[in-house]
Amino acid sequence: MSLKGLFFIILGIVLAFVSYLYWDYKKTGGYAKNSDGYYGYSFPLDNGLNNPADCELANTENPEQPLVSKEWMEGCRKYFEIN
């Protein structure tokens, strides 16, 4: 195998790895799974929300439930920044 061929193989592996990291970032927003921020980030996708103002629905739709955390709200708003 030539040096040029090895270079292209390494380049392909690096591009695949970077693509995976970008896909994972878009999917999780950079939050660890099962964290408050992750649940806030996934809320708009799970509920079909169209704008960041709808994030407040989590507090107003169910007043008997405790208010969501600041990290949750930041995750919800971040979803609209990334997507």
Side-chain angles (χ1 to χ4, degrees), residues 17-78:
F17 183 68
V18 169
S19 296
Y20 169 76
L21 289 176
Y22 179 71
W23 171 78
D24 185 60
Y25 177 73
K26 280 196 70 142
K27 184 177 175 187
T28 64
Y31 294 104
K33 291 194 178 193
N34 298 326
S35 69
D36 228 16
Y38 174 75
Y39 288 125
Y41 183 82
S42 63
F43 183 75
L45 182 61
D46 295 341
N47 294 291
L49 303 182
N50 296 323
N51 61 39
D54 292 339
C55 291
E56 292 296 329
L57 290 175
N59 287 329
T60 58
E61 290 290 316
N62 299 308
E64 69 280 354
Q65 298 291 325
L67 297 178
V68 297
S69 70
K70 182 179 178 183
E71 182 185 2
W72 189 98
M73 196 60 73
E74 288 172 0
C76 188
R77 291 187 184 115
K78 188 174 185 178

Short mmCIF file of all heavy atoms in Angstrom, two decimals, residues 17-78:
data_model
loop_
_atom_site.label_atom_id
_atom_site.label_comp_id
_atom_site.label_asym_id
_atom_site.label_seq_id
_atom_site.Cartn_x
_atom_site.Cartn_y
_atom_site.Cartn_z
N PHE A 17 -15.61 9.80 11.75
CA PHE A 17 -15.66 10.09 13.17
C PHE A 17 -16.22 11.48 13.42
O PHE A 17 -17.07 11.67 14.30
CB PHE A 17 -14.26 9.96 13.79
CG PHE A 17 -14.23 10.17 15.26
CD1 PHE A 17 -14.83 9.26 16.12
CD2 PHE A 17 -13.59 11.27 15.80
CE1 PHE A 17 -14.79 9.46 17.50
CE2 PHE A 17 -13.56 11.48 17.16
CZ PHE A 17 -14.16 10.57 18.02
N VAL A 18 -15.79 12.47 12.66
CA VAL A 18 -16.30 13.84 12.81
C VAL A 18 -17.78 13.89 12.46
O VAL A 18 -18.57 14.56 13.14
CB VAL A 18 -15.47 14.83 11.96
CG1 VAL A 18 -16.14 16.19 11.88
CG2 VAL A 18 -14.07 14.95 12.51
N SER A 19 -18.19 13.18 11.44
CA SER A 19 -19.61 13.14 11.07
C SER A 19 -20.44 12.53 12.18
O SER A 19 -21.53 13.01 12.49
CB SER A 19 -19.80 12.32 9.79
OG SER A 19 -19.16 12.93 8.72
N TYR A 20 -19.93 11.47 12.80
CA TYR A 20 -20.65 10.85 13.91
C TYR A 20 -20.78 11.82 15.08
O TYR A 20 -21.85 11.93 15.69
CB TYR A 20 -19.94 9.58 14.38
CG TYR A 20 -20.49 9.06 15.68
CD1 TYR A 20 -21.72 8.40 15.70
CD2 TYR A 20 -19.83 9.27 16.88
CE1 TYR A 20 -22.26 7.96 16.89
CE2 TYR A 20 -20.37 8.83 18.07
CZ TYR A 20 -21.58 8.18 18.08
OH TYR A 20 -22.12 7.75 19.26
N LEU A 21 -19.70 12.53 15.41
CA LEU A 21 -19.76 13.48 16.52
C LEU A 21 -20.76 14.59 16.24
O LEU A 21 -21.51 15.01 17.13
CB LEU A 21 -18.37 14.07 16.79
CG LEU A 21 -17.35 13.13 17.40
CD1 LEU A 21 -16.01 13.83 17.53
CD2 LEU A 21 -17.82 12.61 18.74
N TYR A 22 -20.81 15.09 15.01
CA TYR A 22 -21.77 16.13 14.65
C TYR A 22 -23.19 15.60 14.73
O TYR A 22 -24.08 16.27 15.25
CB TYR A 22 -21.48 16.66 13.25
CG TYR A 22 -22.45 17.73 12.81
CD1 TYR A 22 -22.42 18.99 13.39
CD2 TYR A 22 -23.42 17.48 11.85
CE1 TYR A 22 -23.32 19.97 13.02
CE2 TYR A 22 -24.32 18.44 11.47
CZ TYR A 22 -24.27 19.68 12.06
OH TYR A 22 -25.17 20.65 11.69
N TRP A 23 -23.43 14.39 14.25
CA TRP A 23 -24.76 13.79 14.31
C TRP A 23 -25.19 13.62 15.77
O TRP A 23 -26.33 13.93 16.12
CB TRP A 23 -24.74 12.44 13.59
CG TRP A 23 -25.98 11.65 13.77
CD1 TRP A 23 -27.17 11.83 13.13
CD2 TRP A 23 -26.17 10.54 14.65
NE1 TRP A 23 -28.09 10.90 13.56
CE2 TRP A 23 -27.49 10.10 14.50
CE3 TRP A 23 -25.34 9.88 15.55
CZ2 TRP A 23 -28.00 9.03 15.22
CZ3 TRP A 23 -25.85 8.82 16.26
CH2 TRP A 23 -27.16 8.42 16.09
N ASP A 24 -24.28 13.16 16.61
CA ASP A 24 -24.60 12.97 18.03
C ASP A 24 -24.88 14.30 18.70
O ASP A 24 -25.79 14.41 19.52
CB ASP A 24 -23.45 12.25 18.73
CG ASP A 24 -23.79 11.91 20.16
OD1 ASP A 24 -24.79 11.18 20.37
OD2 ASP A 24 -23.07 12.38 21.07
N TYR A 25 -24.14 15.35 18.34
CA TYR A 25 -24.36 16.68 18.91
C TYR A 25 -25.74 17.21 18.53
O TYR A 25 -26.45 17.76 19.36
CB TYR A 25 -23.27 17.65 18.45
CG TYR A 25 -23.47 19.05 18.94
CD1 TYR A 25 -23.24 19.37 20.28
CD2 TYR A 25 -23.91 20.06 18.10
CE1 TYR A 25 -23.44 20.65 20.74
CE2 TYR A 25 -24.11 21.33 18.56
CZ TYR A 25 -23.87 21.63 19.88
OH TYR A 25 -24.08 22.90 20.35
N LYS A 26 -26.13 17.03 17.27
CA LYS A 26 -27.46 17.48 16.85
C LYS A 26 -28.56 16.68 17.54
O LYS A 26 -29.63 17.19 17.82
CB LYS A 26 -27.62 17.37 15.34
CG LYS A 26 -26.98 18.53 14.60
CD LYS A 26 -27.46 18.62 13.20
CE LYS A 26 -28.87 19.05 13.19
NZ LYS A 26 -29.29 19.94 12.18
N LYS A 27 -28.29 15.42 17.81
CA LYS A 27 -29.29 14.56 18.43
C LYS A 27 -29.46 14.87 19.92
O LYS A 27 -30.57 14.84 20.43
CB LYS A 27 -28.89 13.10 18.24
CG LYS A 27 -29.90 12.12 18.75
CD LYS A 27 -29.44 10.70 18.46
CE LYS A 27 -30.38 9.70 19.09
NZ LYS A 27 -29.88 8.34 18.96
N THR A 28 -28.37 15.17 20.62
CA THR A 28 -28.43 15.36 22.07
C THR A 28 -28.21 16.80 22.51
O THR A 28 -28.38 17.11 23.69
CB THR A 28 -27.37 14.49 22.77
OG1 THR A 28 -26.07 14.94 22.36
CG2 THR A 28 -27.55 13.02 22.45
N GLY A 29 -27.80 17.67 21.61
CA GLY A 29 -27.53 19.06 21.97
C GLY A 29 -26.28 19.23 22.81
O GLY A 29 -26.07 20.28 23.40
N GLY A 30 -25.48 18.20 22.91
CA GLY A 30 -24.28 18.27 23.73
C GLY A 30 -24.53 17.90 25.18
O GLY A 30 -23.62 17.94 25.99
N TYR A 31 -25.77 17.54 25.51
CA TYR A 31 -26.10 17.16 26.87
C TYR A 31 -25.92 15.65 27.06
O TYR A 31 -26.13 14.88 26.14
CB TYR A 31 -27.56 17.52 27.19
CG TYR A 31 -27.82 19.01 27.20
CD1 TYR A 31 -28.47 19.62 26.15
CD2 TYR A 31 -27.41 19.79 28.26
CE1 TYR A 31 -28.72 20.98 26.15
CE2 TYR A 31 -27.65 21.16 28.27
CZ TYR A 31 -28.30 21.74 27.21
OH TYR A 31 -28.53 23.08 27.23
N ALA A 32 -25.57 15.26 28.27
CA ALA A 32 -25.48 13.84 28.60
C ALA A 32 -26.89 13.26 28.63
O ALA A 32 -27.83 13.92 29.11
CB ALA A 32 -24.80 13.66 29.95
N LYS A 33 -27.05 12.05 28.12
CA LYS A 33 -28.37 11.43 28.14
C LYS A 33 -28.85 11.27 29.57
O LYS A 33 -28.06 11.08 30.49
CB LYS A 33 -28.34 10.10 27.42
CG LYS A 33 -28.14 10.27 25.94
CD LYS A 33 -28.43 9.02 25.18
CE LYS A 33 -28.26 9.35 23.70
NZ LYS A 33 -28.77 8.35 22.85
N ASN A 34 -30.15 11.36 29.74
CA ASN A 34 -30.82 11.26 31.05
C ASN A 34 -30.49 12.41 31.98
O ASN A 34 -30.64 12.29 33.19
CB ASN A 34 -30.52 9.93 31.73
CG ASN A 34 -31.02 8.75 30.93
OD1 ASN A 34 -32.05 8.83 30.27
ND2 ASN A 34 -30.29 7.66 30.95
N SER A 35 -30.06 13.54 31.43
CA SER A 35 -29.86 14.74 32.24
C SER A 35 -31.04 15.68 32.01
O SER A 35 -31.82 15.52 31.07
CB SER A 35 -28.55 15.43 31.87
OG SER A 35 -28.63 15.99 30.57
N ASP A 36 -31.18 16.66 32.87
CA ASP A 36 -32.27 17.61 32.75
C ASP A 36 -32.19 18.38 31.44
O ASP A 36 -33.20 18.62 30.78
CB ASP A 36 -32.22 18.58 33.93
CG ASP A 36 -33.56 18.76 34.60
OD1 ASP A 36 -34.46 17.94 34.35
OD2 ASP A 36 -33.71 19.74 35.36
N GLY A 37 -30.99 18.79 31.06
CA GLY A 37 -30.80 19.52 29.81
C GLY A 37 -31.17 18.69 28.60
O GLY A 37 -31.77 19.18 27.64
N TYR A 38 -30.84 17.42 28.63
CA TYR A 38 -31.18 16.52 27.52
C TYR A 38 -32.69 16.38 27.38
O TYR A 38 -33.22 16.42 26.28
CB TYR A 38 -30.54 15.15 27.73
CG TYR A 38 -30.97 14.13 26.71
CD1 TYR A 38 -30.48 14.18 25.42
CD2 TYR A 38 -31.90 13.14 27.02
CE1 TYR A 38 -30.87 13.26 24.46
CE2 TYR A 38 -32.30 12.23 26.08
CZ TYR A 38 -31.79 12.28 24.80
OH TYR A 38 -32.20 11.38 23.85
N TYR A 39 -33.39 16.23 28.49
CA TYR A 39 -34.85 16.11 28.42
C TYR A 39 -35.48 17.41 27.91
O TYR A 39 -36.46 17.39 27.17
CB TYR A 39 -35.43 15.72 29.77
CG TYR A 39 -35.14 14.29 30.13
CD1 TYR A 39 -34.51 13.97 31.31
CD2 TYR A 39 -35.46 13.26 29.26
CE1 TYR A 39 -34.22 12.65 31.64
CE2 TYR A 39 -35.17 11.95 29.57
CZ TYR A 39 -34.56 11.65 30.76
OH TYR A 39 -34.28 10.35 31.06
N GLY A 40 -34.90 18.55 28.29
CA GLY A 40 -35.38 19.82 27.77
C GLY A 40 -35.11 19.94 26.27
O GLY A 40 -35.94 20.44 25.51
N TYR A 41 -33.94 19.45 25.85
CA TYR A 41 -33.57 19.51 24.43
C TYR A 41 -34.48 18.62 23.59
O TYR A 41 -34.86 18.96 22.48
CB TYR A 41 -32.11 19.08 24.27
CG TYR A 41 -31.60 19.19 22.86
CD1 TYR A 41 -31.18 20.40 22.35
CD2 TYR A 41 -31.55 18.07 22.03
CE1 TYR A 41 -30.71 20.50 21.05
CE2 TYR A 41 -31.09 18.16 20.73
CZ TYR A 41 -30.67 19.39 20.25
OH TYR A 41 -30.23 19.49 18.95
N SER A 42 -34.87 17.47 24.12
CA SER A 42 -35.69 16.54 23.35
C SER A 42 -37.19 16.86 23.43
O SER A 42 -37.97 16.35 22.64
CB SER A 42 -35.45 15.10 23.81
OG SER A 42 -35.82 14.94 25.16
N PHE A 43 -37.60 17.73 24.34
CA PHE A 43 -39.01 18.07 24.51
C PHE A 43 -39.65 18.63 23.24
O PHE A 43 -40.73 18.18 22.86
CB PHE A 43 -39.16 19.05 25.68
CG PHE A 43 -40.58 19.42 26.01
CD1 PHE A 43 -41.40 18.54 26.67
CD2 PHE A 43 -41.08 20.67 25.66
CE1 PHE A 43 -42.70 18.88 26.98
CE2 PHE A 43 -42.37 21.02 25.96
CZ PHE A 43 -43.19 20.12 26.62
N PRO A 44 -39.05 19.61 22.55
CA PRO A 44 -39.69 20.13 21.33
C PRO A 44 -39.86 19.07 20.25
O PRO A 44 -40.89 19.03 19.57
CB PRO A 44 -38.74 21.23 20.86
CG PRO A 44 -37.95 21.60 22.05
CD PRO A 44 -37.84 20.36 22.87
N LEU A 45 -38.90 18.21 20.10
CA LEU A 45 -38.98 17.16 19.09
C LEU A 45 -40.08 16.16 19.44
O LEU A 45 -40.87 15.77 18.59
CB LEU A 45 -37.64 16.45 18.96
CG LEU A 45 -37.55 15.35 17.90
CD1 LEU A 45 -37.81 15.92 16.52
CD2 LEU A 45 -36.19 14.69 17.95
N ASP A 46 -40.15 15.79 20.70
CA ASP A 46 -41.14 14.81 21.15
C ASP A 46 -42.56 15.35 21.08
O ASP A 46 -43.52 14.59 20.92
CB ASP A 46 -40.85 14.36 22.58
CG ASP A 46 -39.55 13.60 22.70
OD1 ASP A 46 -39.04 13.11 21.66
OD2 ASP A 46 -39.03 13.50 23.83
N ASN A 47 -42.71 16.68 21.22
CA ASN A 47 -44.04 17.27 21.28
C ASN A 47 -44.40 18.13 20.07
O ASN A 47 -45.44 18.79 20.06
CB ASN A 47 -44.17 18.10 22.56
CG ASN A 47 -44.12 17.23 23.78
OD1 ASN A 47 -45.02 16.45 24.04
ND2 ASN A 47 -43.03 17.32 24.53
N GLY A 48 -43.56 18.16 19.07
CA GLY A 48 -43.86 18.89 17.83
C GLY A 48 -43.93 20.40 18.00
O GLY A 48 -44.75 21.05 17.35
N LEU A 49 -43.08 20.97 18.83
CA LEU A 49 -43.08 22.42 19.03
C LEU A 49 -42.37 23.11 17.88
O LEU A 49 -41.45 22.56 17.28
CB LEU A 49 -42.40 22.77 20.35
CG LEU A 49 -42.99 22.11 21.60
CD1 LEU A 49 -42.25 22.59 22.83
CD2 LEU A 49 -44.46 22.36 21.73
N ASN A 50 -42.81 24.34 17.58
CA ASN A 50 -42.27 25.04 16.42
C ASN A 50 -41.46 26.29 16.74
O ASN A 50 -40.78 26.81 15.87
CB ASN A 50 -43.41 25.44 15.48
CG ASN A 50 -44.10 24.23 14.91
OD1 ASN A 50 -43.47 23.22 14.62
ND2 ASN A 50 -45.42 24.31 14.78
N ASN A 51 -41.55 26.80 17.96
CA ASN A 51 -40.75 27.98 18.31
C ASN A 51 -40.35 27.95 19.77
O ASN A 51 -40.98 27.27 20.58
CB ASN A 51 -41.48 29.29 17.95
CG ASN A 51 -42.80 29.44 18.68
OD1 ASN A 51 -42.91 29.10 19.84
ND2 ASN A 51 -43.80 29.97 17.99
N PRO A 52 -39.32 28.71 20.14
CA PRO A 52 -38.80 28.65 21.51
C PRO A 52 -39.81 29.10 22.57
O PRO A 52 -39.73 28.66 23.71
CB PRO A 52 -37.61 29.59 21.49
CG PRO A 52 -37.29 29.85 20.08
CD PRO A 52 -38.50 29.53 19.27
N ALA A 53 -40.74 29.96 22.21
CA ALA A 53 -41.73 30.41 23.19
C ALA A 53 -42.60 29.24 23.68
O ALA A 53 -43.13 29.28 24.79
CB ALA A 53 -42.60 31.50 22.59
N ASP A 54 -42.73 28.21 22.86
CA ASP A 54 -43.52 27.05 23.26
C ASP A 54 -42.88 26.26 24.38
O ASP A 54 -43.53 25.39 24.97
CB ASP A 54 -43.76 26.13 22.05
CG ASP A 54 -44.67 26.76 21.00
OD1 ASP A 54 -45.41 27.70 21.35
OD2 ASP A 54 -44.62 26.31 19.84
N CYS A 55 -41.62 26.51 24.68
CA CYS A 55 -40.96 25.81 25.79
C CYS A 55 -41.66 26.09 27.11
O CYS A 55 -41.65 25.26 28.01
CB CYS A 55 -39.50 26.23 25.89
SG CYS A 55 -38.47 25.65 24.51
N GLU A 56 -42.28 27.24 27.22
CA GLU A 56 -43.01 27.59 28.44
C GLU A 56 -44.22 26.70 28.67
O GLU A 56 -44.76 26.66 29.77
CB GLU A 56 -43.45 29.06 28.40
CG GLU A 56 -42.32 30.04 28.46
CD GLU A 56 -41.55 29.99 29.78
OE1 GLU A 56 -42.16 29.68 30.83
OE2 GLU A 56 -40.34 30.25 29.75
N LEU A 57 -44.64 25.96 27.65
CA LEU A 57 -45.78 25.06 27.82
C LEU A 57 -45.54 24.04 28.92
O LEU A 57 -46.50 23.59 29.57
CB LEU A 57 -46.07 24.32 26.50
CG LEU A 57 -46.64 25.16 25.38
CD1 LEU A 57 -46.76 24.31 24.11
CD2 LEU A 57 -48.00 25.71 25.76
N ALA A 58 -44.30 23.66 29.13
CA ALA A 58 -44.00 22.68 30.17
C ALA A 58 -44.40 23.19 31.55
O ALA A 58 -44.76 22.41 32.42
CB ALA A 58 -42.52 22.35 30.16
N ASN A 59 -44.36 24.51 31.73
CA ASN A 59 -44.75 25.09 33.02
C ASN A 59 -46.23 25.43 33.08
O ASN A 59 -46.85 25.32 34.13
CB ASN A 59 -43.94 26.35 33.31
CG ASN A 59 -42.51 26.04 33.67
OD1 ASN A 59 -42.24 25.00 34.25
ND2 ASN A 59 -41.60 26.91 33.32
N THR A 60 -46.82 25.87 31.96
CA THR A 60 -48.19 26.36 32.00
C THR A 60 -49.25 25.28 31.74
O THR A 60 -50.37 25.41 32.22
CB THR A 60 -48.38 27.49 30.97
OG1 THR A 60 -48.04 27.00 29.67
CG2 THR A 60 -47.51 28.68 31.30
N GLU A 61 -48.92 24.24 31.01
CA GLU A 61 -49.89 23.21 30.68
C GLU A 61 -50.24 22.33 31.89
O GLU A 61 -51.34 21.82 31.97
CB GLU A 61 -49.37 22.31 29.55
CG GLU A 61 -49.32 23.00 28.21
CD GLU A 61 -50.71 23.26 27.63
OE1 GLU A 61 -51.55 22.36 27.69
OE2 GLU A 61 -50.92 24.39 27.15
N ASN A 62 -49.30 22.14 32.78
CA ASN A 62 -49.51 21.30 33.95
C ASN A 62 -49.13 22.07 35.21
O ASN A 62 -48.08 21.82 35.80
CB ASN A 62 -48.67 20.02 33.85
CG ASN A 62 -49.05 19.21 32.64
OD1 ASN A 62 -50.21 18.92 32.42
ND2 ASN A 62 -48.06 18.86 31.83
N PRO A 63 -49.99 22.99 35.66
CA PRO A 63 -49.61 23.82 36.82
C PRO A 63 -49.47 23.02 38.12
O PRO A 63 -48.81 23.47 39.05
CB PRO A 63 -50.75 24.83 36.92
CG PRO A 63 -51.86 24.27 36.12
CD PRO A 63 -51.28 23.32 35.12
N GLU A 64 -50.07 21.83 38.17
CA GLU A 64 -49.95 21.04 39.40
C GLU A 64 -48.58 20.37 39.51
O GLU A 64 -48.18 19.91 40.57
CB GLU A 64 -51.06 19.97 39.48
CG GLU A 64 -50.95 18.85 38.47
CD GLU A 64 -51.46 19.20 37.07
OE1 GLU A 64 -52.02 20.28 36.87
OE2 GLU A 64 -51.29 18.37 36.18
N GLN A 65 -47.84 20.31 38.41
CA GLN A 65 -46.49 19.73 38.41
C GLN A 65 -45.48 20.79 38.82
O GLN A 65 -45.69 21.98 38.61
CB GLN A 65 -46.14 19.21 37.01
CG GLN A 65 -47.03 18.11 36.51
CD GLN A 65 -46.81 16.82 37.29
OE1 GLN A 65 -45.69 16.53 37.70
NE2 GLN A 65 -47.87 16.07 37.48
N PRO A 66 -44.34 20.39 39.40
CA PRO A 66 -43.31 21.38 39.73
C PRO A 66 -42.74 22.02 38.47
O PRO A 66 -42.74 21.41 37.40
CB PRO A 66 -42.24 20.57 40.46
CG PRO A 66 -42.60 19.14 40.33
CD PRO A 66 -43.99 19.05 39.79
N LEU A 67 -42.27 23.25 38.61
CA LEU A 67 -41.69 23.96 37.47
C LEU A 67 -40.42 23.25 37.01
O LEU A 67 -39.72 22.63 37.80
CB LEU A 67 -41.36 25.40 37.86
CG LEU A 67 -42.55 26.28 38.26
CD1 LEU A 67 -42.06 27.65 38.67
CD2 LEU A 67 -43.55 26.37 37.14
N VAL A 68 -40.13 23.37 35.71
CA VAL A 68 -38.93 22.75 35.16
C VAL A 68 -37.71 23.58 35.58
O VAL A 68 -37.82 24.76 35.88
CB VAL A 68 -39.00 22.62 33.62
CG1 VAL A 68 -40.13 21.70 33.22
CG2 VAL A 68 -39.14 23.97 32.96
N SER A 69 -36.55 22.94 35.55
CA SER A 69 -35.32 23.62 35.99
C SER A 69 -34.80 24.57 34.91
O SER A 69 -35.21 24.53 33.75
CB SER A 69 -34.25 22.58 36.32
OG SER A 69 -33.81 21.95 35.12
N LYS A 70 -33.85 25.40 35.32
CA LYS A 70 -33.22 26.34 34.40
C LYS A 70 -32.46 25.58 33.31
O LYS A 70 -32.49 25.96 32.14
CB LYS A 70 -32.28 27.25 35.18
CG LYS A 70 -31.61 28.30 34.35
CD LYS A 70 -30.71 29.17 35.20
CE LYS A 70 -30.02 30.20 34.32
NZ LYS A 70 -29.09 31.02 35.09
N GLU A 71 -31.78 24.49 33.70
CA GLU A 71 -31.04 23.68 32.72
C GLU A 71 -31.99 23.07 31.69
O GLU A 71 -31.69 23.03 30.50
CB GLU A 71 -30.27 22.57 33.43
CG GLU A 71 -29.45 21.71 32.50
CD GLU A 71 -28.78 20.53 33.20
OE1 GLU A 71 -28.99 20.34 34.40
OE2 GLU A 71 -28.07 19.80 32.49
N TRP A 72 -33.16 22.64 32.13
CA TRP A 72 -34.16 22.07 31.23
C TRP A 72 -34.60 23.12 30.20
O TRP A 72 -34.70 22.85 29.02
CB TRP A 72 -35.36 21.58 32.04
CG TRP A 72 -36.35 20.79 31.25
CD1 TRP A 72 -36.43 19.44 31.19
CD2 TRP A 72 -37.41 21.29 30.42
NE1 TRP A 72 -37.46 19.08 30.36
CE2 TRP A 72 -38.08 20.19 29.88
CE3 TRP A 72 -37.84 22.57 30.07
CZ2 TRP A 72 -39.16 20.31 29.03
CZ3 TRP A 72 -38.91 22.70 29.21
CH2 TRP A 72 -39.56 21.58 28.71
N MET A 73 -34.88 24.32 30.71
CA MET A 73 -35.34 25.41 29.83
C MET A 73 -34.25 25.81 28.84
O MET A 73 -34.54 26.07 27.67
CB MET A 73 -35.76 26.61 30.68
CG MET A 73 -36.59 27.61 29.92
SD MET A 73 -38.13 26.96 29.24
CE MET A 73 -39.12 26.77 30.67
N GLU A 74 -32.99 25.82 29.27
CA GLU A 74 -31.89 26.13 28.36
C GLU A 74 -31.77 25.07 27.27
O GLU A 74 -31.52 25.38 26.11
CB GLU A 74 -30.58 26.23 29.13
CG GLU A 74 -30.47 27.47 29.99
CD GLU A 74 -29.25 27.46 30.90
OE1 GLU A 74 -28.47 26.48 30.86
OE2 GLU A 74 -29.09 28.42 31.66
N GLY A 75 -31.97 23.81 27.65
CA GLY A 75 -31.93 22.73 26.67
C GLY A 75 -33.04 22.87 25.65
O GLY A 75 -32.83 22.65 24.44
N CYS A 76 -34.21 23.25 26.10
CA CYS A 76 -35.35 23.42 25.19
C CYS A 76 -35.06 24.55 24.19
O CYS A 76 -35.30 24.40 22.99
CB CYS A 76 -36.61 23.71 25.99
SG CYS A 76 -38.13 23.73 25.02
N ARG A 77 -34.55 25.65 24.67
CA ARG A 77 -34.24 26.78 23.78
C ARG A 77 -33.08 26.44 22.84
O ARG A 77 -33.06 26.88 21.69
CB ARG A 77 -33.92 28.01 24.59
CG ARG A 77 -35.15 28.55 25.30
CD ARG A 77 -34.88 29.87 25.98
NE ARG A 77 -36.05 30.29 26.71
CZ ARG A 77 -36.10 30.42 28.03
NH1 ARG A 77 -35.02 30.18 28.75
NH2 ARG A 77 -37.21 30.80 28.62
N LYS A 78 -32.12 25.66 23.32
CA LYS A 78 -30.97 25.29 22.50
C LYS A 78 -31.39 24.44 21.31
O LYS A 78 -30.78 24.51 20.25
CB LYS A 78 -29.94 24.55 23.35
CG LYS A 78 -28.64 24.29 22.64
CD LYS A 78 -27.63 23.68 23.60
CE LYS A 78 -26.31 23.51 22.93
NZ LYS A 78 -25.31 22.96 23.86
#
